[in-house]
Amino acid sequence: MAGETVITVVGNLVDDPELRFTPSGAAVAKFRVASTPRTFDRQTNEWKDGDSLFLTCSVWRQAAENVAESLQRGMRVIIQGRLKQRSYEDREGVKRTVYELDVDEVGPSLLRATAKVEKVRRNGEGYGNGSPAANTGWRNQQQGGNAPATEDPWANQAPAGDPWGGSAQGGQASTYSDEPPF
């Protein structure tokens, strides 16, 4: 929406994501992220931590389930979302204002870690359970076994005529080549 404040935050998960479901069945995961700036002090020749920013984040639907399954406390993450401000009164009647992040995208930071990405089945679209056989064959099975699984953009096969590993005669190679075509 126009006028919303979209931000990207890099930080560490303060606790494990908490997955809940609304009465209508929609999944929502909440988690907190701490983002701490670091500056180099030339006088002492060492790094110093600044004040940490703690943000409560919420992510919805399939992404919420993926976050709850994939991320845990201490992991460094990159989050993009819409910054929201909410005011309320606490138990003592003091008015409080909090800032929260409605997450659109989230993933692990690969600066000092590795990750294995697995596709998940989306409602009715079927991208399998992470195994190559399931990923390429699910749609084929659903359509009577005759339809090619060409709609899967993550299939391990190169497109026909692809100069990076596909056949110029319209066939398909099983893997991409690391070598340039020249």
Side-chain angles (χ1 to χ4, degrees):
M1 269 189 175
E4 290 184 318
T5 304
V6 177
I7 64 169
T8 301
V9 177
V10 178
N12 296 327
L13 290 183
V14 175
D15 32 43
D16 289 334
E18 181 182 334
L19 181 64
R20 292 189 178 182
F21 292 88
T22 65
S24 65
V28 60
K30 287 197 170 234
F31 55 94
R32 289 187 316 138
V33 173
S35 180
T36 307
R38 299 195 82 199
T39 56
F40 188 75
D41 186 342
R42 292 183 184 185
Q43 292 177 347
T44 62
N45 207 28
E46 60 185 29
W47 288 95
K48 304 250 181 188
D49 287 341
D51 292 333
S52 295
L53 168 69
F54 290 88
L55 278 175
T56 299
C57 303
S58 59
V59 60
W60 291 82
R61 299 173 194 69
Q62 183 65 51
E65 295 182 47
N66 296 346
V67 163
E69 184 176 322
S70 304
L71 302 177
Q72 59 191 0
R73 180 179 183 233
M75 287 184 164
R76 190 158 185 83
V77 293
I78 303 168
I79 301 168
Q80 182 175 9
R82 291 161 281 122
L83 189 62
K84 303 288 182 174
Q85 176 180 314
R86 183 172 57 90
S87 297
Y88 67 97
E89 279 191 24
D90 66 10
R91 292 179 184 157
E92 289 80 34
V94 178
K95 188 171 182 175
R96 304 260 184 203
T97 300
V98 294
Y99 296 94
E100 300 173 329
L101 193 62
D102 285 343
V103 176
D104 294 321
E105 297 283 342
V106 58
S109 169
L110 300 180
L111 183 63
R112 293 185 182 92
T114 62
K116 181 180 177 189
V117 178
E118 294 184 23
K119 297 175 289 174
V120 295
R121 174 186 270 180
R122 295 190 293 179
N123 297 337
E125 293 188 21
Y127 281 115
N129 61 6
S131 71
N135 288 344
T136 57
W138 187 87
R139 191 176 268 114
N140 199 3
Q141 292 169 3
Q142 294 298 313
Q143 297 173 348
N146 297 333
T150 57
E151 295 179 52
D152 185 358
W154 294 86
N156 290 333
Q157 297 180 343
D162 180 29
W164 296 94
S167 168
Q169 284 77 28
Q172 293 184 341
S174 61
T175 59
Y176 286 104
S177 169
D178 288 337
E179 296 296 318
F182 44 90

